[in-house]
Amino acid sequence: MDSVSTYSVASLAWLATQAVPLIIWPSLISTLLQVDGPPPQGPQYGAANASLEQYFARSLGLAQLALGALLLVLSGALPLNSAADAPDTSAPTPSASAAVLVSALYHAATASYAYARYHTTGGQMAYLLGCLGGSVLAVFGLWVLMFAGDGKRRVSRRTGADKSTSGWPFKNVEAEKKRR
């Protein structure tokens, strides 16, 4: 399994971990994240508010599952065509970088939001866990974008050097000495 597939599976696992409680028991999440004190009272916080809360929680859970599934498909971790049609199944799809970029930005945004909420609520553990999970996946996505390329290394037959590197901003002094 290559790094793009590993990232997409890890991202799906994190999103599913968040989505399943939202879909199955939507009021649990709001109860866990409620600031200490009695719940607000009044006619505006009645049954309509509870049904609206359930709707938004379940919609968010389904959207997170859809984002994870799209990431799997677009990164090539879940091939949609048969093995006979695909010439090289080990190479990532052309849309893998875009899918990783969008999901890494999503994880970074949710991590920063959870970090801000962690500090404004006085340090609730659920926000800290959300911040840590999102941060790990955002950094992993950034690493995949920067270092996990297509896997094709262009190596010189004569010198054995990697041709995909350049001499900027540092010169390869050892290679220049061997040439002379």
Side-chain angles (χ1 to χ4, degrees):
M1 183 179 273
D2 63 335
S3 57
V4 175
S5 299
T6 304
Y7 171 75
S8 61
V9 169
S11 184
L12 175 66
W14 175 248
L15 291 171
T17 303
Q18 294 176 1
V20 169
L22 285 171
I23 294 170
I24 293 175
W25 196 2
S27 61
L28 171 71
I29 303 301
S30 64
T31 304
L32 287 175
L33 297 177
Q34 183 178 3
V35 179
D36 293 335
Q41 299 293 325
Q44 68 270 23
Y45 298 108
N49 190 29
S51 63
L52 189 63
E53 175 184 297
Q54 288 182 359
Y55 169 75
F56 283 129
R58 288 188 173 132
S59 295
L60 176 63
L62 292 172
Q64 285 180 321
L65 288 177
L67 177 66
L70 277 173
L71 181 60
L72 274 182
V73 171
L74 292 176
S75 67
L78 184 67
L80 294 180
N81 48 2
S82 66
D85 295 341
D88 184 18
T89 57
S90 63
T93 62
S95 60
S97 293
V100 170
L101 174 67
V102 169
S103 65
L105 289 175
Y106 169 78
H107 289 304
T110 58
S112 63
Y113 174 71
Y115 181 75
R117 290 292 298 168
Y118 173 73
H119 282 290
T120 58
T121 59
Q124 284 186 325
M125 188 59 77
Y127 289 119
L128 180 64
L129 292 175
C131 177
L132 289 175
S135 298
V136 166
L137 284 170
V139 169
F140 187 28
L142 180 65
W143 181 86
V144 166
L145 284 173
M146 290 174 57
F147 300 115
D150 53 4
K152 297 178 185 175
R153 290 284 181 210
R154 299 180 304 168
V155 178
S156 171
R157 291 183 192 164
R158 186 172 50 91
T159 63
D162 189 2
K163 290 182 177 180
S164 62
T165 60
S166 70
W168 187 85
F170 306 106
K171 297 287 184 191
N172 190 350
V173 179
E174 292 299 320
E176 289 179 7
K177 285 181 186 177
K178 289 180 183 178
R179 281 190 222 156
R180 292 179 189 161

